[in-house]
Amino acid sequence: MHGYSRLGNPRAAGSPPSSPRCRHGRNKNAGGRGPKQSIVEKVLVLLISVVFKRRGVLLFAPLLYISGMLLYMGSVSFDVVSLKNAVVVVSKRSPPGSLYRSPQVFQKLWPYMQAESNHTHNFLMTVWNSKVHQVWKPCISKDTPKEGTALPKSNGLFIIEANGGLNQQRLSICDAVALAGLLNATLLIPIFHLNSVWRDSSHFGNIFDEDFFIHALRNHVNVVRELPVDILERFDNNISNIVNLRVKGWSSPAYYLQKVLPKLEKMGAVRIAPFSNRLAHAVPSNVQSLRCLANFEALRFSNSIRILADKMVDRMIKSSSHRGGKYVSVHLRFEEDMVAFSCCEYDGGEEEKHEMDIARERGWRGKFRRRGRVIRPGANRVDGKCPLTPLEVGMMLRGMGFDNTTSVYIAAGKIYKAEKYMAPLKQMFPRLEMKDTLATAEELAPFKGHLSRLAALDYTVCLHSEVFVTTQGGNFPHFLMGHRRYLFGGHSKTINPDKRKLALLFDNPSIRWEDFKRQVQDMLRRSDQKGVELKKPSASLYTFPMPDCMCKEAEARNDNSNTTNKTDFNT
């Protein structure tokens, strides 16, 4: 139980003694009292008396500190008073970073961007330039079973229902593999729940290579495509008759061994639906090894997805041949539902507010109209919670040093008012591609209406880019960052911008181009430094695969030296 701070009641301060001058004034008006003090005057007198007492200072100091922090963070605003033609005009000052002024900033900076276009220097070749890298390589822990080792007799059938979008389903699958190994259970190919947001009716085999999945896990976990006949007969040929266990989120392996395993052994089959986020991040190394194997080795996309995705990657490489085949990918979360859910305001006025109200009601049925719910778009922007617009992403990348010859791939759903918001991004990066431009209508036809399969195409193109830019968080960038670390020697090669700082930069139409560049290039350097990160106990292995899924190659590689020394360390 969390303890709460206790605040003592401030001791009442006595009124200061009246001065002789005051007494003399009262004598002038015999029989009458002095002028009555107003409430404001009484409060001021009380505060002054408290401050000048030793204990009062200690009580007042935290108030001063909190007030200062509120002012600094822009949560408190004051009225601005000005004189116009002898008339007092009072207007409210908006906290810094709370307004969408990016179009005005773009108009100011665009001429400077144009002046720096067509650089001969290939920035994509040197974008990641940390002085020393710890090079890691994929590896499987020694305590996993060896090839050909027979698995022990199964304790029963383990059934899970993976809910959510593509990568939330991926998380559920990998955790299910880890638990099947822990419980010595047979895993049924995960069932996909029809999500109300994604609305994708795809089954496991439509998105992932089922045969490859079963084969890759054969020495670690037994996986079956269908319910065995004896299990079906035991439960009257109805999977719904199998007990559905309610498991709390982030449960420990000990919980599964103590609570789930006995029921599995007794009934021969158990079911957990929904299953997302039902296993803790911190688990023993043998359980983590199964997560690694499932996510990075056993799960690969279905044949139809791989064929088209590989073509799209090849086309991106070809379109960026003038840059060594290297390109930038951006996960752009500016779909209507994302803009609506963020409760942020842009420059669409009353029409935009009306559209967002409709979208929120359609997607979340009164959630945003609950009693006591306060929507503060300005506070959301200051706090870095607003999705970056295509314009803002473009300005950021140009400031970082990517010129107009850079090939850029945009991974996204249907962009909100795409014609309006995508135009300036295309203006800054003419070599811009999306699914609809990189693949033909005939190639995309089998994927239409299946958002998870379309997301798999985006995932693959982003995975193989030289630079990946995340703009709003979520499972998609988190899984991609981990997968890229797994493929690229431990470095995620990901730009993760400071959106709070960007809110301030985009709210300053008078900012100088050199100052803007310096700020965003500092973000790029920080992303480079944070590219190689080890997993902390509370962090996700799917984002930070070192050291659980990778072995340090202990290569001290200095970019200024042509020689490297390698020593393999097995973990």
Side-chain angles (χ1 to χ4, degrees):
M1 186 172 181
H2 298 289
Y4 292 91
S5 300
R6 292 178 298 174
L7 298 177
N9 293 324
R11 184 177 298 178
S15 301
S18 58
S19 67
R21 181 175 299 178
C22 289
R23 289 197 295 269
H24 178 69
R26 282 197 296 268
N27 291 336
K28 282 183 174 182
N29 300 292
R33 294 185 178 181
K36 190 175 181 180
Q37 283 184 316
S38 68
I39 295 176
V40 174
E41 289 173 337
K42 288 180 180 179
V43 172
L44 287 174
V45 171
L46 180 61
L47 288 176
I48 292 171
S49 64
V50 169
V51 169
F52 282 98
K53 287 189 175 183
R54 184 176 298 177
R55 294 181 181 177
V57 171
L58 295 177
L59 288 172
F60 202 66
L63 295 177
L64 287 173
Y65 175 77
I66 293 170
S67 300
M69 288 301 296
L70 287 173
L71 287 171
Y72 176 76
M73 293 300 294
S75 298
V76 176
S77 59
F78 290 98
D79 291 341
V80 179
V81 181
S82 61
L83 289 173
K84 290 184 178 180
N85 300 325
V87 178
V88 177
V89 179
V90 181
S91 59
K92 212 67 171 170
R93 178 187 298 167
S94 301
S98 63
L99 297 179
Y100 178 67
R101 292 196 177 105
S102 301
Q104 294 93 307
V105 177
F106 175 63
Q107 292 300 321
K108 166 74 184 302
L109 300 183
W110 174 236
Y112 299 97
M113 297 181 199
Q114 288 179 300
E116 293 187 358
S117 296
N118 298 310
H119 282 169
T120 55
H121 172 64
N122 190 352
F123 184 61
L124 278 170
M125 301 298 289
T126 58
V127 60
W128 310 116
N129 54 13
S130 295
K131 294 299 180 184
V132 177
H133 294 288
Q134 288 182 325
V135 177
W136 295 74
K137 65 178 182 179
C139 63
I140 298 176
S141 181
K142 290 181 178 179
D143 58 8
T144 54
K146 294 181 180 179
E147 177 76 24
T149 303
L151 294 174
K153 184 179 178 181
S154 173
N155 290 322
L157 193 69
F158 186 49
I159 305 167
I160 67 106
E161 188 174 290
N163 56 308
L166 172 67
N167 289 287
Q168 193 172 345
Q169 290 173 336
R170 190 183 190 106
L171 184 149
S172 298
I173 295 166
C174 298
D175 283 358
V177 169
L179 284 173
L182 176 71
L183 302 173
N184 186 32
T186 297
L187 177 66
L188 178 70
I189 284 287
I191 302 166
F192 284 3
H193 173 72
L194 182 61
N195 185 269
S196 59
V197 176
W198 284 71
R199 300 184 185 91
D200 191 335
S201 59
S202 299
H203 301 294
F204 185 99
N206 299 132
I207 300 174
F208 298 105
D209 189 328
E210 207 169 90
D211 292 334
F212 185 83
F213 181 73
I214 294 172
H215 179 78
L217 296 173
R218 67 192 183 284
N219 295 318
H220 306 267
V221 174
N222 185 34
V223 183
V224 295
R225 290 185 177 84
E226 298 175 349
L227 286 171
V229 176
D230 59 326
I231 295 292
L232 279 171
E233 292 176 350
R234 189 182 309 175
F235 292 97
D236 297 329
N237 295 312
N238 189 348
I239 193 172
S240 298
N241 291 333
I242 300 175
V243 63
N244 183 20
L245 303 179
R246 296 296 177 181
V247 178
K248 292 181 179 180
W250 315 111
S251 293
S252 68
Y255 174 87
Y256 283 95
L257 291 173
Q258 294 167 10
K259 301 293 184 180
V260 177
L261 181 57
K263 294 181 179 180
L264 177 68
E265 293 175 325
K266 179 181 178 180
M267 295 181 286
V270 294
R271 184 166 59 97
I272 302 179
F275 184 70
S276 180
N277 300 320
R278 290 298 183 269
L279 180 60
H281 287 313
V283 298
S285 60
N286 60 326
V287 180
Q288 291 287 46
S289 295
L290 288 174
R291 274 175 159 168
C292 297
L293 181 63
N295 186 50
F296 298 113
E297 299 293 342
L299 274 182
R300 75 178 187 186
F301 292 126
S302 64
N303 193 49
S304 60
I305 291 175
R306 287 202 322 276
I307 289 174
L308 180 55
D310 288 345
K311 288 180 180 178
M312 293 169 68
V313 171
D314 289 341
R315 289 166 189 170
M316 281 303 302
I317 292 173
K318 185 177 180 180
S319 72
S320 54
S321 58
H322 61 292
R323 289 289 180 252
K326 298 180 183 295
Y327 59 92
V328 175
S329 63
V330 179
H331 184 222
L332 184 60
R333 296 308 314 273
F334 203 68
E335 303 91 349
E336 184 180 70
D337 62 336
M338 178 57 67
V339 176
F341 187 81
S342 71
C343 297
C344 295
E345 292 181 356
Y346 294 89
D347 58 351
E350 291 301 319
E351 180 184 356
E352 177 190 301
K353 291 179 182 179
H354 180 65
E355 290 174 348
M356 292 300 101
D357 286 340
I358 294 174
R360 280 190 281 268
E361 188 61 26
R362 181 175 62 245
W364 296 278
R365 296 180 183 178
K367 176 179 179 178
F368 292 90
R369 293 188 291 104
R370 289 175 185 168
R371 188 175 180 180
R373 177 98 187 216
V374 179
I375 295 177
R376 300 175 61 197
N380 290 346
R381 185 170 297 281
V382 170
D383 203 27
K385 294 180 179 178
C386 291
L388 293 180
T389 64
L391 169 67
E392 292 170 330
V393 171
M395 283 195 288
M396 179 186 72
L397 290 176
R398 289 298 293 262
M400 286 179 174
F402 299 95
D403 65 17
N404 64 344
T405 65
T406 304
S407 296
V408 178
Y409 180 81
I410 299 297
K414 185 178 180 181
I415 300 297
Y416 174 59
K417 293 193 173 179
E419 186 176 349
K420 169 187 174 181
Y421 285 108
M422 288 296 290
L425 180 59
K426 293 177 181 177
Q427 187 178 350
M428 287 181 275
F429 292 98
R431 295 175 178 269
L432 188 74
E433 301 284 0
M434 298 181 71
K435 288 187 292 288
D436 296 337
T437 61
L438 202 57
T440 66
E442 292 75 19
E443 289 173 327
L444 289 174
F447 300 88
K448 292 295 184 182
H450 300 285
L451 296 184
S452 291
R453 301 186 209 180
L454 291 171
L457 298 175
D458 279 339
Y459 187 98
T460 305
V461 180
C462 291
L463 182 63
H464 295 287
S465 63
E466 178 63 18
V467 176
F468 171 62
V469 183
T470 174
T471 64
Q472 190 61 18
N475 285 321
F476 187 97
H478 289 159
F479 269 84
L480 257 174
M481 289 170 69
H483 208 154
R484 288 166 66 82
R485 284 188 170 105
Y486 190 78
L487 292 181
F488 301 140
H491 197 296
S492 65
K493 295 188 175 183
T494 298
I495 296 175
N496 193 0
D498 183 341
K499 292 174 64 179
R500 292 179 180 176
K501 183 180 287 187
L502 283 177
L504 295 174
L505 296 179
F506 293 140
D507 192 22
N508 182 8
S510 62
I511 191 169
R512 296 173 62 251
W513 175 236
E514 293 303 323
D515 292 337
F516 182 86
K517 286 198 302 181
R518 177 170 45 81
Q519 296 272 13
V520 295
Q521 286 172 8
D522 182 63
M523 292 182 202
L524 177 58
R525 283 190 291 271
R526 181 164 178 77
S527 293
D528 189 12
Q529 294 166 359
K530 300 285 284 184
V532 179
E533 265 191 292
L534 298 183
K535 178 184 175 295
K536 297 175 183 176
S538 61
S540 169
L541 171 145
Y542 305 113
T543 307
F544 303 98
M546 300 99 73
D548 299 282
C549 311
M550 304 181 73
C551 305
K552 186 160 62 174
E553 210 168 41
E555 176 187 272
R557 183 173 68 205
N558 191 317
D559 289 344
N560 297 323
S561 172
N562 293 324
T563 60
T564 57
N565 296 316
K566 290 185 180 179
T567 306
D568 287 344
F569 291 92
N570 294 320
T571 55

